[in-house]
Amino acid sequence: MAKDFNPEKYAAFTRILCRIYLKHGSPVKMMESYIAVLTKGICQSEENGSFLSKDFDARKAYLAGSIKDIVSQFGMETVILYTALMLKKRIVVYHPRIEAIQEFTRTLPALVWHRQDWSILHSYVHLNEEEVEALKACTGYIAGFTDSEVNSRPDLYDVYVNLADSEITVSPLVKEAMTMGKLHKEIGQLIVQSAEDPEKSDSQVIKEISLKTKEILATLASLTEASDGNEKPTLNSEALKQKRFPPATENFLFHLAAAEQMLKI
């Protein structure tokens, strides 16, 4: 399994490996090319084409999806997805077409661009015991399913996205942590206004969302205190209460601190 997220890179390399196998009928030649890419980042062949790892920038792969399309479909409800990702919740996405799931899910981690973590993405999961258990071993994730039965598996999600019907459902178990308030309305309006601006590209929309996220994280950082040793600073609960934020904002910052492992245990 690849450690990086770059579907276009691996699709291109797979096509070359397939051509090599069709020509030679032996996995040995395929393995030679695989090792060449693994060690040198390149494999060259006049008949089968050349492959250069450096031609496939990870950032470009991160930005390949369209955040504007997501906002066009879900509008203000996009802030539910943003909040779930910020709090490292479990998001399940259902659609009967795997292509629709892949296109949608690959874009979601861009809502929390500051993490640049696409390892949370599990674009195609089956409802068999082995895959479900592997998924349950993860903390927060984005998981795609083409089996509508996943709707009957609330043990697998905190937020359920029925992509086919454009519906987002929040599990009762996380409704307290996901309570929306003034801050969420501000974030939602920013996301929608930015995405609806025809002059702005997807990357510019992501940048604006990221700047708002940095503001929130700076606010959280101002409410922390130094811990012993080299550990992360931890949230000072009294400082949070003294700020007298609206209840939903205080609640969100507390759960964000938990997601960022900034709570004293």
Side-chain angles (χ1 to χ4, degrees), residues 24-166:
H24 298 282
S26 166
V28 174
K29 289 288 183 183
M30 290 173 64
M31 187 55 71
E32 286 174 0
S33 296
Y34 175 77
I35 291 170
V37 169
L38 200 63
T39 55
K40 300 173 185 174
I42 183 172
C43 73
Q44 288 178 306
S45 165
E46 286 184 16
E47 307 123 326
N48 303 308
S50 299
F51 177 86
L52 273 168
S53 285
K54 67 179 183 181
D55 287 345
F56 298 89
D57 181 46
R59 184 185 167 89
K60 192 175 178 181
Y62 293 164
L63 293 168
S66 175
I67 205 82
K68 298 185 90 167
D69 284 351
I70 290 177
V71 179
S72 174
Q73 182 170 1
F74 289 100
M76 280 292 286
E77 284 198 320
T78 307
V79 78
I80 298 173
L81 301 172
Y82 171 86
T83 304
L85 288 161
M86 284 289 282
L87 300 184
K88 298 183 179 179
K89 298 301 181 186
R90 302 167 304 157
I91 301 174
V92 158
V93 180
Y94 161 73
H95 195 285
R97 286 179 53 247
I98 182 58
E99 296 84 1
I101 291 171
Q102 289 173 330
E103 188 177 344
F104 180 81
T105 57
R106 76 175 295 170
T107 311
L108 289 182
L111 285 169
V112 283
W113 184 258
H114 66 290
R115 292 193 186 124
Q116 295 203 15
D117 182 11
W118 265 253
S119 69
I120 63 172
L121 192 56
H122 306 263
S123 288
Y124 191 22
V125 185
H126 299 86
L127 280 175
N128 61 52
E129 188 178 350
E130 186 179 354
E131 291 188 37
V132 165
E133 288 307 310
L135 190 63
K136 283 184 172 182
C138 306
T139 45
Y141 53 72
I142 302 161
F145 291 82
T146 57
D147 187 343
S148 61
E149 286 299 311
V150 71
N151 183 39
S152 306
R153 292 295 303 270
D155 57 312
L156 295 179
Y157 61 81
D158 300 313
V159 173
Y160 178 74
V161 182
N162 185 327
L163 194 56
D165 293 339
S166 301

Side-chain angles (χ1 to χ4, degrees), residues 171-190:
S171 165
L173 295 175
V174 297
K175 278 199 170 172
E176 187 265 329
M178 296 277 294
T179 301
M180 302 286 149
K182 183 184 175 185
L183 175 63
H184 298 87
K185 186 178 179 181
E186 286 175 12
I187 298 165
Q189 288 172 336
L190 179 146

